[in-house]
Amino acid sequence: MALFSGLSAFPITPMTSEGEVIAPDLQRLVQRIEAGGADSIGLFGSTGTYMFLSRDQRRRAVAAAVEAVASIPIIVGVGAIRTDEVQALARDAAAEGASGLLLAPVSYTPLTEEEVFQHFLAVASATDLPLCIYSNPGTTNFTFRPELVARLAVIPTVAAIKLPLPASGDIASDLAAFRQAAPSLSIGYSGDWGCKAALLAGADCWYSVAAGLFPEQAAALAAAAIRGDYEEANRCEAAFAGLWDLFRAHGSLRLIYAVANMLGLTEASPPKPLLGPDEGLTASLRKALPL
């Protein structure tokens, strides 16, 4: 299967209160993903709290994850504010054995389309690794229009785009617009509760938070949707309904840390200033687990 296709599972990056990556916990998580049947691992997506980690911490985490898995590729997020920093992170990821890169246009000052294009062009020149555009307007305050994606698709190493669920709810039309603009790219979606519909509509990849902890159940859902088995996809999705209701209401990042704690996979908490859920929300979360 191609790198940016199927199910890509995004784990948290367990770290101490001082910000040091807990390598054994990270390795436990990526091995669980590999054993659960995901097609790739997405290290340092938003769930991986990449912006809370230094360059050296990221490099060591990539090395630990690559060491722990044998059969599936690892896609590494390399977002940072300055272009030269991103280039260095891309080279580090390549040196440690990453199979692909994921890049969000992180900024403090809102970026123009030309600035984003030049940023991607420079980062793509740093390594030969295939690069996935990470569209996450909720955190970057930048929206990728199909016209810009068409320009970016001309860059030889740009191979994919990871899109948010469209605000309109019309995934089929959104997918068609990006397909027309950039037919050479793999097109995938994040936002777990909408990805069954995206895969059934013909998207290439589901970039999943839940699969970082429940890879076997998510892999079954992805497989059913990809082969167009509506009945089985609906059955698999039903197990996640409660969890995704909470994701929609409260966001996934803080909750997924709490779930990892519940499953005994790590004692790590979200990096400060992020706080975990309160007791009431934790109780609701425990009842919603797809076990």
Side-chain angles (χ1 to χ4, degrees), residues 107-124:
S107 67
Y108 181 80
T109 301
L111 300 177
T112 67
E113 288 197 349
E114 185 59 28
E115 288 167 340
V116 169
F117 178 79
Q118 294 297 331
H119 183 60
F120 271 80
L121 188 64
V123 174

Side-chain angles (χ1 to χ4, degrees), residues 22 38 84 98 190 208 217 220 245 276 290:
I22 307 171
D84 62 315
S190 56
S208 174
Q217 296 94 320
D245 283 346

